[in-house]
Structures are given as C-alpha cells and as structure tokens.
Amino acid sequence: MNVALKENYQEALVEQKKEVRELVMAGLEQIKEGKTDDFNTVCNRLEKKYRDAAVSN
C-alpha cells in the first residue's frame, strides 16, 4: 500500500513540476506579446489564479 502511495505522490509531483514550467513559459509569452512589462506581475497573477483554483478543488 505504501509503495502505491509513494508512486502516486511521485507522479503528482512530476505533473506539478510540468505545470509550473508551463506557467512560467506562459508568463514569458505574455511578456513577448507586450501584455506586460514586468515578469513579477505575470507570476503573481498566475500564482493567485492557481492558488485560488487549488483551494476550490
């Protein structure tokens, strides 16, 4: 049972890392498109969006 839980945890961790990379790339794309001049603003906006979404799940 513990092995299955550990494997599920590892899979979830890998997926979360992929999501973070995708969010960072999305933020960089927004900067390239001129939607923002400040990467911190993009990161803060994405962090708030996904933190709120995680709470609602």
Side-chain angles (χ1 to χ4, degrees):
M1 181 80 166
N2 286 337
V3 173
L5 290 175
K6 186 174 181 180
E7 288 176 7
N8 288 340
Y9 175 77
Q10 290 296 332
E11 289 174 17
L13 191 59
V14 168
E15 287 301 312
Q16 287 178 342
K17 287 180 180 181
K18 287 180 187 177
E19 288 179 28
V20 168
R21 284 192 293 269
E22 289 172 3
L23 292 173
V24 170
M25 295 307 294
L28 290 172
E29 191 63 31
Q30 287 180 357
I31 291 171
K32 287 179 186 176
E33 293 172 357
K35 293 182 179 177
T36 186
D37 294 327
D38 183 13
F39 187 67
N40 288 330
T41 302
V42 173
C43 291
N44 290 339
R45 184 173 54 237
L46 291 171
E47 182 180 11
K48 180 181 181 335
K49 175 181 177 183
Y50 287 96
R51 182 182 305 139
D52 292 346
V55 170
S56 65
N57 289 337

